[in-house]
Structures are given as C-alpha cells and as structure tokens.
Amino acid sequence: MPATVNADECSGCGTCVDECPNDAITLDEEKGIAIVDNDECVECGACEEACPNQAIKVEE
C-alpha cells in the first residue's frame, strides 16, 4: 500500500520530498502538506523514516 500522509501531523517541511527516490511526493503549497502520487510510490519507506513528525506511513 502506498504511503499515506496524516494532514494533521504534516508540517510541510519537505523532508519526505527530498528523501523519496521516485519523486512520488510533492508539497501542496496551498494546504501546506505532502501529497503522495500513489502510482509512483514504490512503498520503500524512505519517507516514513525521514519524517520528523511521523506524519507519513507506509502500511503493509
């Protein structure tokens, strides 16, 4: 299952964007949160490990 973002916890810092090897995450500047492209996400978990707020999860 692709990564999911908890909008209440996401600060929009962009750390997950920088860590994603597939460029599957972008920042929605209007909402100030990370957005995951489910078609591009390879479920590697790099974003989950990098997030300082634990706002992004990769579920099995």
Side-chain angles (χ1 to χ4, degrees):
M1 180 173 231
T4 56
V5 177
N6 179 336
D8 293 332
E9 298 294 326
C10 181
S11 67
C13 69
T15 302
C16 58
V17 175
D18 296 337
E19 291 299 318
C20 181
N22 267 23
D23 296 325
I25 306 173
T26 56
L27 287 181
D28 182 325
E29 293 187 25
E30 189 174 300
K31 294 180 182 178
I33 62 170
I35 303 294
V36 178
D37 180 338
N38 293 341
D39 293 331
E40 296 297 321
C41 179
V42 295
E43 306 166 28
C44 69
C47 57
E48 183 175 12
E49 290 179 27
C51 181
N53 299 322
Q54 300 175 336
I56 191 163
K57 302 285 183 209
V58 178
E59 303 285 334
E60 290 184 23

